Amino acid sequence: MSHGAGLVRTTCSSGSALGPGAGAAQPGASPSEGLLDLVYPRTHAALLKVAQMVTLLIAFICVRSSVWTDYSAYSYFEVVTICDLIMILAFYLVHLFRVYRLLTCISWPLSELLHYGIGTLLLLIASIVAASKSYSQGGLVAGADNQSPVAIIKVQWLGPKLVINMNPNRGPEVA
């Protein structure tokens, strides 16, 4: 009994960023295929991520450049803002470089939804603690109060619109 070479068909893309001709465009390939998604930076989800990163950076700079009245409260606020900024940047890069097509074992929409939920809760707690400890420092109040509404709006606007899509060939969708 011999098992000869047969044709194996898969539903996943066989292209890889590390394969031969990774940078070259394939004949007949549509503009939506490839390593870099040129349409994603113009979507509402991408613009929201950029706005979140900018506001987190502004809040971090406000708190970092002010005179602290309580070390533990403001250092917690700094850690939460920077960690949230790094995670939002990571999700932005995942969508921009279409990493979700390569790592299909991770449910990217679900992980992003969990990140937004946990990150919002931590930002809300950090903002309340930092605002309560910054009674007379203008920069600290501005940095802490900047993030409370942003955190709430982030979950209320994006949370219900995030569609959990289990298809590994397509990225997370915003309805």
Side-chain angles (χ1 to χ4, degrees):
M1 181 189 263
S2 89
H3 297 289
L7 179 63
V8 177
R9 295 183 188 266
T10 63
T11 58
C12 296
S13 172
S14 62
S16 169
L18 303 175
Q26 297 174 353
S30 69
S32 65
E33 294 180 7
L35 178 66
L36 185 65
D37 188 1
L38 298 175
V39 177
Y40 179 72
R42 293 185 298 262
T43 63
H44 290 291
L47 295 175
L48 182 64
K49 282 181 181 56
V50 170
Q52 290 169 355
M53 288 187 285
V54 168
T55 56
L56 285 167
L57 188 62
I58 290 170
F60 176 78
I61 290 170
C62 285
V63 171
R64 187 68 183 165
S65 63
S66 296
V67 178
W68 291 2
T69 57
D70 186 1
Y71 178 77
S72 62
Y74 303 124
S75 62
Y76 173 68
F77 184 82
E78 284 184 344
V79 167
V80 169
T81 54
I82 289 300
C83 287
D84 202 22
L85 180 106
I86 290 170
M87 285 304 298
I88 292 171
L89 179 64
F91 281 118
Y92 184 84
L93 294 175
V94 161
H95 294 296
L96 185 65
F97 291 109
R98 297 180 178 167
V99 175
Y100 56 85
R101 287 185 177 177
L102 300 174
L103 297 174
T104 57
C105 59
I106 298 172
S107 175
W108 290 104
L110 183 60
S111 62
E112 193 167 356
L113 185 65
L114 287 173
H115 164 257
Y116 281 135
I118 294 168
T120 300
L121 181 66
L122 291 175
L123 270 176
L124 194 60
I125 291 169
S127 297
I128 290 170
V129 169
S132 68
K133 301 287 184 177
S134 61
Y135 34 85
S136 64
Q137 302 293 327
L140 295 174
V141 173
D145 289 343
N146 179 19
Q147 286 306 305
S148 295
V150 170
I152 293 169
I153 290 170
K154 178 170 56 172
V155 165
Q156 288 179 349
W157 185 79
L158 191 62
K161 294 184 178 197
L162 191 64
V163 176
I164 298 178
N165 180 8
M166 295 304 194
N167 186 352
N169 293 327
R170 296 177 58 197
E173 298 176 355
V174 176

